[in-house]
Structure formats: structure tokens, C-alpha cells
Amino acid sequence: MQKILFSLVFVLIISSCSTPEKPKMNDLAEAYVKLVLEIGQYNSDFVDAYYGPEEWKPTTVILDTMPAADFLTRATHLIEKVDALVTNSFPEIDKARHRMFKKQLIAVKTKLEMLSGKTYSFDAEAKLLYDADPPHFTEEHFNKLLETLEEELPGEGELSTRYNDFANQFIIPKEKLDTVFRVAITEARKRTNHHFKLPENEDFVLEYVNDKSWSGYNYYQGKSKSLIQINTDFPIFIQRAIDLACHEGYPGHHVFNTLLEQNLVDAKGWKEFSVYPLFSPQSLIAEGSANYGIEVAFPGDERVAFEKEVLFPIAGLDATQADTYYKILGLMGQLNYAGNEAARKYLNGEISREEAAKWLEKYLFYAPDRALQRTRFIDQYRSYVINYNLGKDLVADYVKAKGGTVDEPEKRWAIFKELLSNPHTASSLK
């Protein structure tokens, strides 16, 4: 009898001592999700997607003003509790979960502070929200790139005018937009599914909208379903079909959210991944992988070949100048960081909105109305702009460093899938 009692006591002691920290993480995850959803009631951009338990959605009545002090206190306490967790015995994947969870919480707290009126410099904001250190480029750097373009662009007169005159022959006619986009998405989906074996029920709805500060958006609905919207305020050039098909769909945002839901929320029960706060480190991975995914899905010359052979004829465009066009687009891509510098200067109060728009006209060749629309995006999303180019560069470097090069396409797809399916932030990619 004593032996039996001793055994029972021993089992109870072992059970209590061996209780891992994971249940605590799960409790904190639940509190985090509920906090993010509550904040989202007061700011429409705060929550990008939610596909967790229905009963976790807020039931409280929305107040006239956001209870920022209460939200900040709750966020601070969650950070303290996450810090207090002992992670020494955690497997590496759980340590990665813990690290990302804390950075997500810091971002939530930072955005709350900003919504309450606190201001940060562009670089400080990017670090706190996205775990990233944005690079700096001088105006001289961009001027040298413009000199290179001067030699490549045909015609005479202002460089931006020559570019727009040349590029305008590659605008997709409005009546062909839907057909071109659906063919591009179908091809991107086929290529992605060949490597990822996506859930059979995955699908999307495609809509065309107006009066937005962005060109495309993916609203992930959960259960492998997305709403993809394309903004038709301005002319859409032929290369944007593949860009948006991959970025918003395959293997971009739609696939990224599908894999997170499938591998982390459903398989592991990590409920913090059931909510996606937009202004967080997750966005750098989301946007960076979505942009890099274009090259993964259409490597080397495959993209231009597909566009010339398939999309150009559907759009009714002449493909004879396509090679020159894509060479110029490649050079234009090197000017991409000029948009970040415009945002940095504008948000730091160094230049006005009009001056920021002029900068975008000069270095990115935006038409005046398009440049002003872009400043609307900067107003709304602020330092978020770094996630597209810096995010892409960090993701590309990470995949290549692990052996995922153009001449190793299978390995590149495998590493890319691992990246999309696990907890990562900018600092973990280095």
C-alpha cells in the first residue's frame, strides 16, 4: 500500500514539475489575440486578418474613444509575462515562436502609442514595428541610376516623360483586365501548387475596386480562402498582372496565410498566429516573401517568355518592344528605394507632401496624380513601405544563403516553403 501511495505521489510530483511552459504561452496567446481584436475595433487597419475561434471576437460595446491606457497596460503586462517565461528547455521551434511573439507584442504596444499621439522617427518606428533597420541611400545614388536610364530610354526630352511615353504602350486595356489577371493567377497557382500541394479547398474571389491608396490587397478569410482586390484608379501595366497574381495570390499572401493557418494554428495550436496585426514584424515577412515569390514562381527568363507568349496577345499588346521594356524595368527596380527615402523625409518632417510627390515623380517616374496617391499610402501606412523592398531583399538573401539559388529551383521552393510555414522576423533572417 505504501509503495502504491509513493508511486501516486511520485507521479503527481513529476506531472506538476514536467508541466511545460507551452500552456502558459497558449494562455498568453489567447490574451494577445483578444487584445489585438479589441484594438482593431477602433482602427480599421490594425487587424489584417483573423481566423481564430469565433468566441474570441470582442463582445464589448465600442466606446466613443479608444481606451488606450487600458490597452497599453494590457500590452505591457503581456510583454512582462512573455519575458518571464523560462525558455531554456524549449525546442528551437518553440524558442522561435517565443521570440516572434515578443516582437509582435512590442509592435502592438508601439502602434498603440502612435495611435495615442506618440511619434517616432522613421527608422525607430520601422525597428519597433517591423524588427528591421532600413538602409539609407543618398540623392546622389539615385541620380547616378538616372544617368544609366538616360542611356537606355529611347526618345528626347525629360526622362520621366520619355519613360511614361514608352511605358504607355504596355497598358492593359480595361476590357481585357479581368481575362489577363485570371490567366496570370491561374499560371501562378499551377506553378505554386506543383511544389506546395495546397489544400484542395483553397480558393479566392477576385474583385476590382476604386479610390484606394494601394494597387492590390489580399483579405485572407481563413480556411484557405481569400478576397483579392485590384485597384483600377490608374492604368495597369502588363507586368503588374504577374506581379499582383504572385504577390496577392500564389505564392504570396494567400499561400503565406494558408500555410500559417495550416501548419501553426491548426497543426500546432499556436493561436497567436490566428490574428494578423498589420503593423507588426509579420508584415515584413509577408510583403517580402510575396515580392520574392514572383521570382520563385517565374525564375530567370520564364516570366518574360510567358508574358510575351500568353499575356501580351490576350491584352492585344505588341510584344516587339517587350525585351527593351523589361530591361528598363530592371533598371527601374534599382530606384525602388527612392520611395523609402521620400517616405522617410516626409514622415520625419524634412519635406512637405508636395516635395515628397515631386521626389516620387523624379525618381520613380510617377505621374503627378499617381505620386499624390502614393503620399496617401505613406500617410496611412507610414514606415510600412520598407516591407516591400527591404523585406524582399532579406528574404532573398536568406533563401540564397541556404542554397536556394536559381539553378537549384527545387531546393529554393523547399526553403521558401519552410520560411512561409514557421515563425520568422527580419532579425531571424540574418
Side-chain angles (χ1 to χ4, degrees):
M1 186 67 177
Q2 288 180 334
K3 288 183 178 179
I4 294 174
L5 286 173
F6 177 79
S7 298
L8 287 172
V9 171
F10 180 78
V11 169
L12 288 171
I13 292 172
I14 291 297
S15 298
S16 62
C17 291
S18 62
T19 301
E21 299 289 350
K22 288 182 186 178
K24 290 185 180 179
M25 274 286 285
N26 290 339
D27 292 341
L28 295 178
E30 179 177 343
Y32 159 79
V33 171
K34 291 178 177 178
L35 173 61
V36 170
L37 292 177
E38 286 184 51
I39 299 169
Q41 291 181 294
Y42 296 90
N43 184 280
S44 59
D45 291 326
F46 198 84
V47 179
D48 191 73
Y50 177 63
Y51 37 87
E54 190 69 23
E55 61 270 20
W56 285 9
K57 290 183 177 179
T59 57
T60 55
V61 176
I62 300 177
L63 303 175
D64 291 336
T65 57
M66 183 177 72
D70 174 59
F71 288 158
L72 280 168
T73 298
R74 288 163 62 184
T76 300
H77 286 168
L78 279 171
I79 292 171
E80 291 170 353
K81 289 177 181 177
V82 169
D83 276 337
L85 291 176
V86 179
T87 61
N88 294 339
S89 61
F90 277 18
E92 282 305 312
I93 186 65
D94 290 294
K95 289 179 180 178
R97 176 196 183 189
H98 179 267
R99 285 192 296 269
M100 182 168 181
F101 190 20
K102 181 178 177 181
K103 291 178 186 296
Q104 292 286 105
L105 277 166
I106 290 171
V108 167
K109 181 182 177 183
T110 300
K111 189 61 181 178
L112 270 172
E113 291 172 337
M114 293 169 63
L115 291 173
S116 301
K118 187 171 183 177
T119 58
Y120 289 96
S121 69
F122 182 89
D123 286 3
E125 179 184 312
K127 182 67 174 178
L128 289 166
L129 292 180
Y130 309 115
D131 188 37
D133 298 302
H136 287 243
F137 295 93
T138 64
E139 193 167 357
E140 181 185 8
H141 168 77
F142 299 120
N143 285 334
K144 288 181 178 178
L145 292 174
L146 289 183
E147 290 173 7
T148 304
L149 271 168
E150 284 277 6
E151 300 172 4
E152 296 293 337
L153 268 169
E156 297 179 355
E158 287 288 330
L159 186 60
S160 60
T161 302
R162 285 155 50 199
Y163 171 77
N164 286 311
D165 287 345
F166 181 67
N168 283 344
Q169 65 186 298
F170 301 101
I171 293 173
I172 305 171
K174 280 202 170 184
E175 67 274 13
K176 303 289 184 65
L177 270 179
D178 188 59
T179 303
V180 171
F181 268 107
R182 290 189 184 279
V183 169
I185 292 173
T186 298
E187 180 67 17
R189 185 188 213 171
K190 182 183 75 174
R191 289 169 178 245
T192 302
N193 202 40
H194 177 72
H195 297 276
F196 282 8
K197 303 300 179 189
L198 299 172
E200 289 185 6
N201 68 320
E202 68 82 17
D203 203 0
F204 66 92
V205 172
L206 182 62
E207 292 182 351
Y208 300 93
V209 297
N210 297 100
D211 195 28
K212 303 295 182 182
S213 64
W214 37 258
S215 58
Y217 211 105
N218 177 295
Y219 295 95
Y220 188 68
Q221 313 288 295
K223 305 302 179 186
S224 305
K225 303 289 193 300
S226 285
L227 168 63
I228 297 175
Q229 292 187 336
I230 306 298
N231 185 9
T232 59
D233 281 346
F234 296 96
I236 299 177
F237 297 87
I238 188 67
Q239 76 275 9
R240 296 296 289 155
I242 291 295
D243 283 350
L244 291 170
C246 292
H247 184 99
E248 307 299 343
Y250 308 85
H253 294 326
H254 174 66
V255 172
F256 179 49
N257 283 295
T258 294
L259 292 176
L260 288 182
E261 182 179 25
Q262 187 180 53
N263 297 319
L264 300 186
V265 178
D266 294 342
K268 292 183 179 294
W270 292 358
K271 295 299 184 186
E272 69 269 26
F273 286 95
S274 67
V275 71
Y276 173 11
L278 185 66
F279 304 100
S280 70
Q282 186 173 332
S283 281
L284 182 135
I285 305 299
E287 302 294 1
S289 63
N291 273 351
Y292 179 63
I294 301 168
E295 298 176 15
V296 176
F298 291 86
D301 297 329
E302 290 185 25
R303 172 181 175 161
V304 177
F306 177 78
E307 292 181 344
K308 287 166 64 175
E309 294 169 12
V310 179
L311 297 187
F312 271 73
I314 293 174
L317 300 179
D318 180 6
T320 57
Q321 292 293 311
D323 291 333
T324 301
Y325 182 51
Y326 282 98
K327 182 179 181 181
I328 290 169
L329 287 178
L331 293 172
M332 286 289 296
Q334 298 177 45
L335 283 163
N336 192 271
Y337 276 98
N340 293 28
E341 293 301 333
R344 176 187 278 114
K345 292 174 182 293
Y346 173 50
L347 294 175
N348 285 350
E350 299 171 24
I351 59 176
S352 67
R353 176 189 303 278
E354 291 71 26
E355 289 171 323
K358 288 296 183 184
W359 181 283
L360 295 173
E361 290 175 39
K362 178 179 179 180
Y363 292 112
L364 297 181
F365 302 160
Y366 284 0
D369 54 351
R370 176 72 179 88
L372 283 173
Q373 185 214 37
R374 187 60 181 177
T375 64
R376 282 177 55 203
F377 183 93
I378 296 170
D379 282 333
Q380 186 173 358
Y381 297 105
R382 299 183 57 82
S383 62
Y384 193 94
V385 296
I386 70 164
N387 294 326
Y388 299 99
N389 41 33
L390 177 60
K392 177 187 175 182
D393 290 345
L394 290 175
V395 168
D397 290 344
Y398 173 85
V399 173
K400 290 173 186 174
K402 289 184 169 291
T405 54
V406 178
D407 56 343
E408 292 284 351
E410 295 297 330
K411 189 171 185 178
R412 181 158 73 162
W413 274 105
I415 296 167
F416 189 60
K417 184 178 182 181
E418 178 276 329
L419 173 70
L420 298 183
S421 304
N422 290 287
H424 283 288
T425 69
S427 58
S428 71
L429 298 184
K430 296 179 179 178

